[in-house]
């Protein structure tokens, strides 16, 4: 009996091991496919930005340029002829200020909604949720009229104020969910020690929700950095344009030439700060995303 069962057991083990091996192979194929699908356009932009114009416009597509087809002229022209550093400063200023304002206003509002018994709290939360789902592009005409009446055209506030207002609802919802997960015992102990609400929020509560602050802050920063429609319409002065607008308006040496090289270089330059930012705060972002989905 025992001898007869041993071959069948070995066969079942081999079948299971072969099934696990095939699953691992399929898993790695899926991972490689997703990575190539995601990074393919980025790699193509990077290669285009360092290829010569002749290699870019060649009849036969040059996927991987040779050494004599490589050049840094597109990046040099981007900063020397097009003064792209000015647009980087403008985008950074608008994105940083609007992100700081969004966190500074949204965090206390989220804490109030999470801890205080406010009249009409459900109505407030419903309104915030509706605003979050509302397509911001539909606000364009109304904001354009407000900007015109307030005289904010060609002013950084014309971008900072809308960006802050658009990102506020998402900040409030995310931060409120984190505040609700914090134990009330800490706040009760802080009140006994003589902390007022502002001190408790600044010194105790916000440091404990740092991953959430980083996550929502980066989302707000990315939106402000990449936004195009408002920046194109509200800012017409050349020295105040942001990166998306400046990149879209790059011109070639002639009217009928598409500057593929400078466009690719501008895309890489505009995307690189976001990549560095996400990689630098990668651990905090993962903590914020995972902690927000688990009830403590």
């Amino acid at each position: 009996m025992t001898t007869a069962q041993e071959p069948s057991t070995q066969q079942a083990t081999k079948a299971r091991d072969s099934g696990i091996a095939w699953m691992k192979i399929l898993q790695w194929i899926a991972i490689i496919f997703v990575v190539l699908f995601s990074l393919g356009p980025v790699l193509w932009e990077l290669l285009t930005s360092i290829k010569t114009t002749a290699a870019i416009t060649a009849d036969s597509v040059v996927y991987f340029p040779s050494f004599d087809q490589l050049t840094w002229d597109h990046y040099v022209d981007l900063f020397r002829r097009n003064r792209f550093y000015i647009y980087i400063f403008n985008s950074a200023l608008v994105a940083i200020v609007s992100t700081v304002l969004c966190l500074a206003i949204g965090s206390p509002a989220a804490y109030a909604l999470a801890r205080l018994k406010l009249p009409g709290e459900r109505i407030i939360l419903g309104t915030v949720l509706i605003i979050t789902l509302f397509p911001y592009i539909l606000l364009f005409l109304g904001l354009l009229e407000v900007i015109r009446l307030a005289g904010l055209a060609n002013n950084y506030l014309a971008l900072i104020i809308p960006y802050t207002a658009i990102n506020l609802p998402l900040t409030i919802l995310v931060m409120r969910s984190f505040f609700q997960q914090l134990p009330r015992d800490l706040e009760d102990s802080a009140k006994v020690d003589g902390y007022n609400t502002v001190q408790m929020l600044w010194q105790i509560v916000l440091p404990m929700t740092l991953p959430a602050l980083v996550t929502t802050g980066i989302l707000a920063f990315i939106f402000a950095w990449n936004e195009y429609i408002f920046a194109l319409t509200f800012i017409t002065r050349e020295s105040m344009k942001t990166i998306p607008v400046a990149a879209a308006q790059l011109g070639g040496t002639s009217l009928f030439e598409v500057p593929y090289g400078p466009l690719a270089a501008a895309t890489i330059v505009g995307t690189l700060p976001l990549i560095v930012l996400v990689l630098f705060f990668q651990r905090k972002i993962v903590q914020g995303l995972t902690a927000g989905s688990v009830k403590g």
Side-chain angles (χ1 to χ4, degrees):
M1 292 290 294
T2 304
T3 307
Q5 289 179 352
E6 286 180 356
S8 62
T9 304
Q10 293 177 356
Q11 292 175 359
T13 304
K14 290 181 179 180
R16 185 174 64 252
D17 292 340
S18 62
I20 293 174
W22 275 108
M23 288 297 295
K24 288 184 177 180
I25 293 174
L26 292 176
Q27 183 180 10
W28 277 107
I29 292 175
I31 292 174
I32 294 173
F33 175 77
V34 172
V35 170
L36 292 177
F37 183 79
S38 302
L39 297 182
V42 179
L43 179 61
W44 180 254
E45 287 290 335
L46 179 61
L47 292 176
T48 303
S49 68
I50 59 177
K51 287 192 295 188
T52 61
T53 304
I56 296 173
T57 58
D59 292 334
S60 58
V61 180
V62 179
Y63 292 99
F64 297 98
S66 58
F67 185 77
D68 59 336
Q69 294 176 319
L70 298 177
T71 181
W72 293 102
D73 291 344
H74 302 312
Y75 289 95
V76 173
D77 291 342
L78 202 64
F79 288 94
R80 180 181 298 173
R81 189 180 69 178
N82 297 302
R83 300 187 304 169
F84 216 71
Y85 53 87
I86 297 177
Y87 310 130
I88 295 176
F89 171 79
N90 295 335
S91 292
L93 176 64
V94 171
I96 291 173
V97 174
S98 63
T99 301
V100 171
L101 287 176
C102 191
L103 294 177
I105 299 172
S107 297
Y111 182 77
L113 289 172
R115 287 292 190 255
L116 304 181
K117 299 298 182 181
L118 300 176
E121 179 180 351
R122 292 184 177 274
I123 298 176
I124 296 174
L125 289 175
T127 304
V128 171
L129 181 59
I130 291 174
I131 295 174
T132 304
L133 300 176
F134 193 80
Y136 80 92
I137 194 63
L138 298 181
L139 304 173
F140 173 71
L141 292 178
L143 282 174
L144 181 61
E145 188 66 19
V146 171
I147 295 297
R148 186 184 65 83
L149 293 176
L152 293 178
N154 289 322
N155 191 313
Y156 290 120
L157 291 177
L159 299 181
I160 293 174
I161 294 176
Y163 293 169
T164 304
I166 291 171
N167 285 314
L168 261 180
L170 178 62
T171 303
I172 292 173
L173 290 176
V174 174
M175 293 304 299
R176 177 179 176 271
S177 67
F178 274 84
F179 288 142
Q180 286 181 323
Q181 297 172 24
L182 296 179
R184 291 181 179 267
D185 296 341
L186 294 174
E187 300 169 44
D188 295 337
S189 300
K191 291 179 181 179
V192 172
D193 292 338
Y195 284 83
N196 58 38
T197 304
V198 177
Q199 291 174 334
M200 182 172 57
L201 180 64
W202 180 256
Q203 299 180 21
I204 298 177
V205 177
L206 287 182
M208 297 180 64
T209 58
L210 185 59
L213 288 172
V214 172
T215 303
T216 54
I218 287 179
L219 291 177
F221 183 89
I222 291 175
F223 171 83
W225 183 273
N226 291 331
E227 202 281 323
Y228 176 75
I229 298 297
F230 292 169
L232 175 66
T233 309
F234 301 158
I235 302 294
T236 58
R237 188 178 301 170
E238 186 67 28
S239 61
M240 298 181 67
K241 291 180 179 179
T242 57
I243 289 179
V245 178
Q249 295 180 350
L250 285 175
T253 56
S254 65
L255 182 61
F256 302 101
E257 178 186 355
V258 179
Y260 294 108
L263 280 174
T267 302
I268 296 299
V269 171
T271 308
L272 187 61
L274 300 180
I275 297 175
V276 174
L277 186 67
V278 171
L279 291 178
F280 185 78
F281 290 104
Q282 180 181 9
R283 181 169 298 179
K284 294 296 182 183
I285 295 173
V286 173
Q287 291 177 359
L289 293 175
T290 54
S293 60
V294 178
K295 289 291 183 181

